[in-house]
Amino acid sequence: MEPAGAPPQGCAPAREAEEPPGSPALPAAAPQGAQPAAAGRERCRRGAGPQGPPGRAVRGRGRRAPGRRGGEEGARAGRRPRVTVDSSKAKTSLEALKISLRQLRWREFPFGRRLPCDIYWHGVSFHDNDIFSGQVNKFPGMTEMVRKITLSRAVRTMQDLFPLEYNFYPRSWILPEEFPLFVAEVRMMKDSDPSWKPTFIVKPDGGCQGDGIYLIKDPSDIRLTGSIQSRPAVVQEYICKPLLVDKLKFDIRLYVLLKSLEPLEIYIAKDGLSRFCTEPYQEPTLKNLHQVFMHLTNYSLNIHSGNFIHSDNANTGSKRTFSSVLCRLSSRGADVKKLWSDIISLVIKTIIALTPELKVYYQSDIPAGKPGPTCFQILGFDILLMKNLKPVLLEVNANPSMRIEHEQELSPGVFENVPSPVDEEVKVAVIRDTLRLVDPQKKKRKDVQCQTLEHVSEANEELLDAGPADRAECDTTQSPEAGLPSLCLKQVFPKYAKQFNYLRLVDRVAALFIRFLGVKGTTKLGPTGFRTFIRNCKLSNSNFSMASVDILYIDITRRWNSMGIDHKESGMCLQAFVEAFFCLAQKKYKSLPLHEQVASLIDFCEDQLAALDEKRLVCGRGIVERRSAVVPCQTDGLHLTPAAPTPLLHRMATASKFSDYRNHRY
Ligand code: ADP
């Protein structure tokens, strides 16, 4: 896998964190039209304009003109239709979005629009607006999925299946329910290795910007008083030996575009940001545990240190481009190519851990066959490098800050927002190129060009011989984006699908789960759905009666629901189903490693369901052909969605996974 390194860029500090839900929108700009950068910057001054777009058009089902799409006016006027973007909910990403839209010459609707837009840019969540068409830059359920506890659970499921592949995430325990386990495991590890002197980091669930985080040396130091019950948290092994630059600890914020869930499409930005601590690093001791400027890299914390350096130089300062750090590492002889390949692998594996549950949210919010938008999302990956250059995942942000200015205190209590060139350079490129990748006109243009190509190819066999890559070349030279810089986003999936597809077992379990959900719009499986799954997959027998099936369902569901994850719906959540599935796999295929047991059971279930679908199809045909004939055909009232993956393909993928992985070359 070639590295995605980019040349170093200038650097200046700015707020770099997760966008907290409900954070205020930037002052609204003049509607539509390009403004000079200076005007945009002027608006950054605190109190320089009204907060938020007043009188935004309310959109709703009744107000839509069905079938009317953004850009039609342009088409009617004989011009190429411009892509339309609703930026009324962009919040703090508004400035970067505006610059991107100006560069693309797309049409912005800062106050919303009565007619549908092509793209809706939301600052916080999928649910910011009711949208029934076009594309929106958020997936339903993403915010929930990347919370510290949910992410830890999702990664842990993958660690159970593939411990070696998922060793980039620190060992974690979920509080309060795993507190006894945490205590027991730490005691056991200390007993087996008395020289082990660990440190742990406690992070409140749903927290951001370092909020409520503290370090401990022993499980007994956890602040159980008061808040743990009311505020669950993750406690994690603390990485004591991070890579240092200028004697300082730093982390990396990388931008990742999840362009599509099905099929899975992932892009990684070639440059990101490095956020530095402001006190020289020392390994944790009881004396320095509380020194946040030494241990936590959060910009929002370090900005308050007297040592924080605002610098326009890419190689100095408390915030730098990742590429400048890479240059430094490369000059020290580090294998930067390998580092990039490890980072890409970390990103793909993390997204593979998140997709099963995201698909459950997706089918619930946007059921197949109902009008709804398609989704894409920019994620912020926070990564720490260990001394040996191994990347470690700290967290994933669903709403990474896209601010391109930072606050400066002119005099006590008087603040001014000043532009941050490095943020502008990195973030505008990420937003602009995300838009280029999801450009709805591009698809239309491609279709037209493909048709034209087909025409030409009849007369010109040579062009046909050129193959798909050369055809793509033809596309871009014709493209109206030809004047834009090359994309800063690099596709990593499906590009490297071959190396990673074998990890996507839980995705296939989720496809089974979704099939048996039955009722559209739900995320939990009822007891009848679970029984139908067992019956249709022929998993019950004399050793495993339907009564045992019910007991399994009740036991696991009750435990998951008692963890207080989601009380809105009753029933079995995906994670509980996955646990039940693993139990069944272990029962049925004893003495294999867990991932092989699970893969075998998935194959078995998919085969049973494919046979059932076939039978139903034949029955259906029979009914049509012999209308009055009585056909003994079992039905369970479930929709006949075929299990998503092709069993044969998956079996082949599973069979070849080890050789694929051994031959893993980027
Ligand atoms: P938040 O969302 O509040 O920023 P993070 O998980 O990003 O929470 O943690 C905050 C900071 O703490 C990180 O930026 C990093 O500097 C430090 N940190 C977090 N987890 C670890 C860890 N396991 N080992 C070492 N440092 C960590």
Side-chain angles (χ1 to χ4, degrees), residues 16-18 148 170-172 199-201 203-204 206-213 215 236-240 242 249-251 253 275 277 281 292 294-302 382 384 392-397:
E16 204 42 63
E18 187 174 5
K148 292 179 171 61
R171 201 194 320 244
S172 305
T199 302
F200 303 97
I201 182 164
K203 313 186 201 180
C208 60
Q209 302 180 1
D211 169 38
I213 290 182
L215 304 188
Q236 202 168 67
E237 231 178 302
Y238 185 74
I239 308 298
C240 291
K249 177 176 171 179
F250 67 97
D251 77 352
R253 159 63 55 86
R275 291 94 45 106
C277 278
Y281 184 77
V292 290
M294 177 186 286
H295 291 294
L296 307 187
T297 48
N298 298 78
Y299 167 82
S300 50
L301 297 174
N302 283 282
D382 290 352
L384 188 71
V392 170
L393 176 69
L394 295 179
E395 69 163 348
V396 180
N397 288 293

Side-chain angles (χ1 to χ4, degrees), residues 567-580:
H567 288 305
K568 276 178 272 164
E569 268 181 68
S570 64
M572 184 181 240
C573 63
L574 174 69
Q575 289 290 333
F577 182 78
V578 168
E579 187 183 324

